[in-house]
Amino acid sequence: MSKGRIGDWAIAVGVAAILLVAGLSRQHTPTNLDPAGYALLITGGLALAARRGAPVTVLAMTGLCALGYQAVGFDVPAVAFLFAVYAAVRAGHRMITVAASVTLLAALPLAALASLHDTGEAFAQARDALEIAWLIAAGAAGEALRQAERRADEAERTREETARRRADEERLHIARELHDSLTHQISVIKVQSEAAVHVARKRGEEVPEALLAIREAGREAARELRATLEALRDDSTTPSQGLDHVSELVERARTTGLDATLTIEGQRQAVPTAVDRTVYRIVQESLTNIARHAAAASATVRIDYRPDTLVIRVDDDGKATPDNAPVPGVGLLGMRERVTALGGRLRAAPRSEGGFSVQAELPVDRTP
């Protein structure tokens, strides 16, 4: 049970005890010991335990209990109803609370008449049981706290919007800087290498491996830069690359001569956007590293949908061994940061049978 619920029950039990003691102290003769009256006193107090979840229902219950124990002769203040008024106004039910209060003020004298049979005494007892000043104070306290909470929520929302706007501005600034500083140079490298390869082949000369590597690196760098700029400029309305595009990554890897396969296990379900993007980036970075560094002939990509976790594993049969582990690069560090930010785990290490394995476990919250 949460602290809030414990506090609610403590208040409810305390009010019920106060009402019960007040009822016992005001009944001086055994003939007035009415079990129904005491039951109504206790019920009215204990009903306050549900005031957060059902304030209007609690307001009605405490009001009816107050009418009930007044009708059987218990001259006890409607303390529980005042707490219910405070809770209902705090929850925003002002008009309903006003209507219920007016109704109770009008009905209390009639309830008191059932036991007193004297109009003057009945009105006096009703006035003592629920004074207008008490109602106004309870309602004002609830409204003051409701306004304070609303202002706090608005302030928090404003801070979040300001932070989001600043982050968007910074992201666009970085995108412009990257575009201005890198796009031109990468384009020059790419065009020059493409032209050099074309000229060499046209002359019938053997194209150096270094030149082919430069050309492929230029192409990949241009793709990566384009994807990075798109991500930086993303305003949450542009479709992003995710699980639906993993098959394209695998197909692209095949075009480089890598025997890449994709296996999807489990029942596919929708995942949060952040997880969707992270899966794509993990597979993309893993396949890029395999093409650049692993000297592998084949690679397997496995995506396993589990009840609360999405597992991604990329294996290759490259040259890495437990005794010759590659030094983690920027790409691997980026993957780890992405996974850790989502509360997941990443394992990247050589396989005992040779090759390298990257496995990420991303938690998936499926609650609405």
Side-chain angles (χ1 to χ4, degrees):
M1 184 180 293
S2 65
K3 291 183 179 179
R5 292 294 298 163
I6 293 175
D8 290 345
W9 272 105
I11 292 174
V13 171
V15 173
I18 291 172
L19 291 174
L20 183 59
V21 170
L24 289 170
S25 64
R26 297 193 181 193
Q27 310 307 313
H28 302 293
T29 61
T31 57
N32 287 330
L33 296 176
D34 190 332
Y38 292 110
L40 289 169
L41 289 170
I42 295 173
T43 301
L46 295 180
L48 294 174
R51 71 185 189 279
R52 292 179 190 266
V56 175
T57 302
V58 171
L59 185 71
M61 287 185 61
T62 54
L64 291 173
C65 287
L67 290 175
Y69 62 68
Q70 289 287 328
V72 297
F74 281 74
D75 183 14
V76 177
V79 178
F81 184 76
L82 294 175
F83 275 88
V85 166
Y86 162 81
V89 172
R90 180 180 175 182
H93 305 290
R94 288 175 292 184
M95 296 305 298
I96 295 176
T97 304
V98 170
S101 300
V102 171
T103 301
L104 186 62
L105 285 171
L108 275 175
L110 300 177
L113 273 175
S115 59
L116 294 176
H117 306 291
D118 184 277
T119 304
E121 291 184 9
F123 273 95
Q125 180 172 311
R127 185 178 62 252
D128 292 339
L130 186 63
E131 292 187 3
I132 296 178
W134 297 350
L135 277 173
I136 294 175
E143 179 64 17
L145 189 55
R146 189 183 75 86
Q147 292 292 342
E149 291 174 342
R150 184 179 62 82
R151 286 193 294 270
D153 291 340
E154 289 179 353
E156 181 65 25
R157 188 162 51 250
T158 300
R159 283 195 295 270
E160 292 177 354
E161 291 174 354
T162 301
R164 190 181 302 111
R165 185 176 64 255
R166 289 177 178 173
D168 290 341
E169 292 172 354
E170 183 63 21
R171 191 170 63 242
L172 291 175
H173 174 72
I174 294 172
R176 285 193 296 269
E177 290 294 325
L178 283 175
H179 181 273
D180 294 341
S181 61
L182 294 180
T183 302
H184 176 69
Q185 287 83 348
I186 292 176
S187 297
V188 170
I189 293 172
K190 182 173 176 291
V191 170
Q192 292 291 343
S193 61
E194 294 276 5
V197 171
H198 175 72
V199 170
R201 286 176 175 171
K202 187 175 182 181
R203 292 176 178 175
E205 300 173 357
E206 183 179 356
V207 182
E209 289 294 330
L211 184 58
L212 292 174
I214 292 173
R215 184 188 66 170
E216 186 59 33
R219 289 176 176 176
E220 186 62 27
R223 285 195 295 265
E224 287 290 328
L225 181 59
R226 190 182 307 112
T228 301
L229 291 175
E230 289 175 355
L232 287 171
R233 289 168 174 161
D234 182 20
D235 59 357
S236 300
T237 59
T238 304
S240 59
Q241 293 173 312
L243 281 160
D244 292 337
H245 303 87
V246 170
S247 59
E248 297 175 8
L249 290 174
V250 175
E251 189 62 34
R252 189 185 305 162
R254 290 197 191 102
T255 62
T256 64
L258 182 68
D259 182 15
T261 58
L262 172 64
T263 303
I264 299 178
E265 301 176 351
Q267 183 177 1
R268 181 160 185 175
Q269 302 182 44
V271 299
T273 302
V275 173
D276 192 48
R277 293 179 178 179
T278 299
V279 171
Y280 181 88
R281 292 303 178 191
I282 289 172
V283 175
Q284 182 186 45
E285 184 64 31
S286 298
L287 292 177
T288 299
N289 288 340
I290 292 171
R292 290 178 177 175
H293 312 298
S298 65
T300 59
V301 178
R302 292 185 178 86
I303 298 176
D304 185 6
Y305 289 87
R306 298 179 183 177
D308 299 311
T309 309
L310 186 64
V311 179
I312 308 97
R313 179 165 179 166
V314 182
D315 297 332
D316 67 68
D317 61 354
K319 60 184 180 181
T321 63
D323 299 328
N324 184 28
V327 178
V330 176
L332 185 58
L333 293 175
M335 277 195 287
R336 191 175 301 280
E337 289 173 355
R338 285 175 178 270
V339 172
T340 303
L342 296 175
R345 295 182 299 175
L346 179 74
R347 180 184 177 276
R351 301 191 301 166
S352 58
E353 63 269 31
F356 200 78
S357 176
V358 175
Q359 179 170 315
E361 298 180 11
L362 300 173
V364 179
D365 182 9
R366 304 204 184 279
T367 57

